Amino acid sequence: MQGHPIKLLYFFSFLLFLRVGNASAASTSVTLYQADSLFAAGLYPAAVEAYESHLQKGYKPTDPMLLKLAYVWEKQGDVAKMLYYLQIYFDRRPDEAILKKMHDVAIQNNLRGYETDDLNYFYLFYKQYGLYITLGLVLLGTYAFGIFWLKYRNREPARRRHKLIVLAYLTGLLLLVNLPERYQSGIINRDRVLLRRDPSSAAPVADVINRGHKVNILGSQDVWLHVFWNDGLYYVRKDSVWLI
């Protein structure tokens, strides 16, 4: 009789071992539909593992997936990852509510780089209406060049001031069209990251920042990113930043 409890213990231990092993093996092959089901069932750690496994394989995240990942990481207290996924979503779907959410969370956690300043609102406005602005400027430019062509055909002189205005217009249009390619940001992915004066490990340390702060990226050089932070220009290692 005493052997039955021991046999039952071995039996249930064996079943638990098989279940854990199967779960580990299936974690890499779970489908997105199954990941959504895990999320709906409230099994958030397993859902996140499945989602991020697909992202690591090069899968492009959907908008709902980004919001789900942000939601789960917020519930688990990982503010940096929550802001990372919200920022990706915001770049894809600019929304003032998302911008305010990131701003409020950043304030609560003493994080910088998420201020709702004029630059962020300009970027928000451009992302929402940039296509219409660009089309309007192109039509305006077509009209201006049409006038210049008529003047040239009729052998009428064009004023120098008008030429300068058109040149300034073309320069502004070029900058506006290339703005999304020039504007990039990143989120610091670990604590005590060193900001240096020059792109070298031997360069003087200008500041030390922690996980979750956002920096604007101006360029890169080898393993270094040239970033704008706290009204200054510094260099930080690429592997210390999640690129947006």
Side-chain angles (χ1 to χ4, degrees):
M1 295 294 292
Q2 293 178 353
H4 290 294
I6 297 176
K7 291 180 179 179
L8 288 173
L9 179 61
Y10 284 151
F11 176 74
F12 286 114
S13 298
F14 179 71
L15 287 180
L16 181 61
F17 174 79
L18 288 179
R19 184 174 181 180
V20 171
N22 289 336
S24 300
S27 64
T28 58
S29 60
V30 64
T31 65
L32 289 177
Y33 175 79
Q34 291 170 323
D36 290 336
S37 299
L38 290 170
F39 180 87
L43 301 174
Y44 299 133
V48 166
E49 183 181 356
Y51 286 138
E52 293 195 335
S53 174
H54 281 272
L55 296 181
Q56 290 169 3
K57 295 175 183 176
Y59 181 86
K60 185 177 180 180
T62 62
D63 294 344
M65 183 191 297
L66 291 171
L67 293 178
K68 288 174 183 176
L69 286 166
Y71 173 80
V72 173
W73 285 120
E74 182 179 21
K75 287 186 69 68
Q76 295 187 1
D78 194 330
V79 173
K81 277 212 165 182
M82 183 207 72
L83 291 171
Y84 169 67
Y85 287 114
L86 279 184
Q87 187 69 54
I88 295 177
Y89 179 86
F90 175 77
D91 277 12
R92 186 184 297 180
R93 297 281 184 266
D95 183 85
E96 187 172 354
I98 296 294
L99 184 63
K100 187 176 185 304
K101 169 71 173 178
M102 291 189 293
H103 171 68
D104 292 343
V105 170
I107 288 180
Q108 293 169 8
N109 293 272
N110 297 317
L111 297 175
R112 303 191 60 175
Y114 304 90
E115 295 79 11
T116 52
D117 53 17
D118 293 340
L119 176 60
N120 279 326
Y121 271 110
F122 172 75
Y123 184 66
L124 171 63
F125 179 81
Y126 177 82
K127 291 287 284 185
Q128 289 178 323
Y129 305 107
L131 177 61
Y132 304 106
I133 295 173
T134 302
L135 288 176
L137 289 174
V138 168
L139 291 175
L140 181 62
T142 303
Y143 172 75
F145 278 105
I147 292 177
F148 272 102
W149 183 81
L150 287 175
K151 285 181 175 292
Y152 174 78
R153 191 182 67 172
N154 297 331
R155 299 182 182 278
E156 297 178 11
R159 296 182 181 180
R160 184 170 180 271
R161 183 180 64 181
H162 293 165
K163 293 179 180 179
L164 292 176
I165 291 174
V166 171
L167 179 62
Y169 160 80
L170 290 174
T171 303
L173 180 61
L174 181 64
L175 292 174
L176 188 63
V177 169
N178 288 299
L179 177 64
E181 298 177 4
R182 296 290 182 182
Y183 187 93
Q184 188 177 16
S185 58
I187 295 177
I188 302 299
N189 61 26
R190 60 173 179 258
D191 287 332
R192 297 197 58 77
V193 170
L194 306 180
L195 298 181
R196 298 186 181 274
R197 299 286 184 189
D198 298 298
S200 169
S201 298
V205 176
D207 202 352
V208 179
I209 58 176
N210 290 325
R211 193 171 186 264
H213 290 292
K214 189 175 80 169
V215 295
N216 291 321
I217 300 170
L218 305 180
S220 63
Q221 182 175 337
D222 297 327
V223 298
W224 300 92
L225 293 174
H226 195 199
V227 301
F228 181 76
W229 161 258
N230 198 20
D231 298 328
L233 297 175
Y234 309 104
Y235 289 89
V236 62
R237 289 186 61 88
K238 290 181 180 179
D239 56 7
S240 300
V241 180
W242 288 321
L243 297 179
I244 304 300

